[in-house]
Amino acid sequence: MAKLTQEELLAQFEEMTLIELSEFVKAFEEKFDVTAAAAAPVVVAGGGAAAAGGAEAEPEKDEFDVILAAAGDKKIQVIKVVRELTSLGLKEAKDLVDGAPKPVLEKVNKEAADKAKEALEGAGATVEVK
């Protein structure tokens, strides 16, 4: 396989849509276990011609984290809800609640995140969904 020059790579990127470029960046991050957050604004700015041609919306977020910000006054009720939402034992659930802010659920869909937030807030906890 011939090694591509920087100019050849840039020429290839110019031909890609923003969606294709976004998928490439994700694949690159996974392959090399890196984060390209600092490069993202440069990539988007460089792809201005592609953005003007096809005004494609950014994909809607489909994975959410439910974070317990504070247990509140009813700590025992919150521990019970945490145990219902997760497969944690009593000690692990208590440690999670005592160590707030901590994630209770990670990478769940919107519906599951909303249900978990509602259940935790019903028990008196302060919850964030990110």
Side-chain angles (χ1 to χ4, degrees), residues 18 49-57:
L18 287 178
E56 299 175 26

Side-chain angles (χ1 to χ4, degrees), residues 17 24 30 40 42 46 50 55-58 63 65 68 80 82 84 90 94 105 109 112 115:
T17 66
F24 169 77
E30 289 174 9
V42 175
E56 299 175 26
E58 189 174 314
E63 291 183 341
D65 295 341
L68 177 68
K80 288 180 181 178
V82 167
E84 290 171 11
L90 180 60
K94 181 183 179 302
L105 298 173
N109 64 27
K115 285 183 181 179

Side-chain angles (χ1 to χ4, degrees), residues 61-66 105-117 129-130:
K61 186 174 179 182
D62 60 353
E63 291 183 341
F64 298 86
D65 295 341
V66 179
L105 298 173
E106 295 178 318
K107 297 186 180 186
V108 296
N109 64 27
K110 176 106 172 110
E111 185 179 317
D114 289 341
K115 285 183 181 179
K117 180 180 179 183
V129 176
K130 293 185 178 180

Side-chain angles (χ1 to χ4, degrees), residues 77-88 93 104-105 119:
Q77 303 305 83
V78 175
I79 293 171
K80 288 180 181 178
V81 172
V82 167
R83 289 192 67 202
E84 290 171 11
L85 294 172
T86 65
S87 59
L88 296 177
V104 177
L105 298 173

